[in-house]
Amino acid sequence: MSGVSRIKEFNLPDLGEGLTEGEILAWLVKEGDTIELNQPIVEVETAKAAVEIPAKWAGQVRSIFHPEGSTVEVGTPIIAIDTDPGAGPVEASTTGAPAADLPTPSAASLAAVEIAPEEGMVEPGLIGGVAPGGRTAVLVGYGPRNAPAKRRPRKGASPERPAATPAASVPPAPAPAPVPAAAPVTAAAAVAAATTVNGNGRPGGLVLAKPPVRKLAKDLGVDLGSLSGSGPLGSITREDVQRAASGTATAAEPPTVAAPATSAAAFGADREQRIPVKGVRRLTAENMSRSAFTAPHVTEFLTVDVTRTMKALDRLRGRREWRDVRVSPLLLVAKAVLLAVRRHPMVNSTWAGDEIVVKEYVNLGIAAATERGLIVPNIKDAGRLTLRELADALTDLVQTAKAGRTSPADMSGGTLTITNVGVFGVDTGTPILPPGESAILAFGAVREMPWVHKGKVRPRQVTTLGLSFDHRIIDGELGSKFLRDIGDFLADPEAALLAWT
């Protein structure tokens, strides 16, 4: 087997729904490792989930092309695998003649060869060429320019003469006349000149003032250097200039050197954090922006006494067949939503431009906050599940999301969503619709509150529901009836089950 056919390059696959790129979170193998077919080799984060990708071939890892943390486009090679490592070293490429068969050039021919500069290179002495120390000679504020460098003539010197051409000889220029030596400057005078300060206490005549303030001072004929600024860091404000113009300016205070401990706090990039927007966060931002500015949202609220729901959960937990099952208020909220959809099927639909698609199945989405961001996996065909099956599905969904193992398929095809903001101690919210869905329910925290029950004020377990819906599909009457049915179920789940099923 040839070396070319032995070495297989594995490209990053499309992990679902037309994803274009993924971030390499972790390599599960390293160069030189022996791997088996379908062995997980890399963990990749797409815009929807973190996925372990298995090997397409067995063999030995020869090369890893992209490090952890890099973003790779779909179809790009990420790893090379030697599928027959026992066959010996990989054959070297035989393209072209062997180096040993090539004639050895003579010294004269090498000397006559003129090496052309590489593309983009410029000759030394040009702006953009190599300056002493290996730097590129670039003017401050400008990019490289392939033009001869010019020197600024010194004061008192004659203008620079044009450079001589190789064909003509130019007589040497006469030596310049000696310049009279300047009077020596004493060290004390130099220090005094360097430490000259203005009324603002800043050396060298520097003045802190914004451009509009400088213009105002120029229009009013006020010398900024004579003023003492009252703004931040001693900057001069409009009020300082106006007082000076009216003759009420305060005399400039003697310069003082501020102690470093009392200097104002700096606000700059060194105290900022920049977080790349990618993966789940980028997808969430794109989906929410598209939904918020496409579907006309309406949100309604309903406060419900859920005391009977909480008691029903306690009785359910006490049953022998439910003792190993995770039972939470979200379970009965999900059941309430599924039963309300049966009574109002238009809520479980999608706007498709020139038609409305009403779905006879409910892929119930549950918004989950994870370390990687907000994801919305869904329970497929949840309306067909029994209460026990629904509880098991919710438990599996939450545990998989927290472990970061939710697959793209589990987050695709949702038809209606619940977001449980109550776990954060929040009463309710105005949730944004996931794209392609027409309703989303926010379930708030359950709190003990005073409530009128049977004509008397009593402490009861109360929660607030928030329903956002697409007003193109769901009008106020339908949205209100759907929310009212969910509330009725939670107020008395046993009676609702008897009445509706």
Coordinates of all heavy atoms in Angstrom, one line a residue, residues 177-185:
A177 N 29.9 76.5 5.9 CA 30.6 77.4 6.8 C 30.4 77.0 8.2 O 29.3 76.5 8.6 CB 30.1 78.8 6.6
P178 N 31.3 77.2 9.1 CA 31.2 76.8 10.5 C 30.1 77.6 11.1 O 30.0 78.8 10.9 CB 32.5 77.0 11.1 CG 33.2 78.0 10.2 CD 32.7 77.7 8.8
V179 N 29.3 77.0 11.9 CA 28.2 77.6 12.6 C 28.7 78.1 14.0 O 29.3 77.3 14.7 CB 27.0 76.7 12.7 CG1 25.8 77.4 13.5 CG2 26.5 76.2 11.4
P180 N 28.4 79.3 14.3 CA 28.9 79.8 15.7 C 28.3 78.9 16.8 O 27.1 78.6 16.7 CB 28.4 81.2 15.7 CG 28.2 81.6 14.3 CD 27.8 80.4 13.6
A181 N 29.1 78.6 17.7 CA 28.6 77.7 18.8 C 27.6 78.5 19.6 O 27.8 79.7 19.9 CB 29.8 77.2 19.6
A182 N 26.6 77.8 20.0 CA 25.6 78.4 20.9 C 26.1 78.5 22.3 O 27.0 77.8 22.7 CB 24.3 77.6 20.9
A183 N 25.5 79.4 23.0 CA 26.0 79.6 24.3 C 25.7 78.4 25.1 O 24.6 77.8 25.0 CB 25.3 80.8 24.9
P184 N 26.6 78.0 26.0 CA 26.3 76.7 26.8 C 25.1 76.9 27.7 O 24.9 78.0 28.3 CB 27.6 76.5 27.5 CG 28.2 77.9 27.6 CD 27.9 78.6 26.3
V185 N 24.3 75.9 27.8 CA 23.2 75.9 28.6 C 23.5 75.1 29.9 O 23.9 74.0 29.9 CB 22.0 75.2 27.9 CG1 20.7 75.2 28.9 CG2 21.7 75.9 26.6

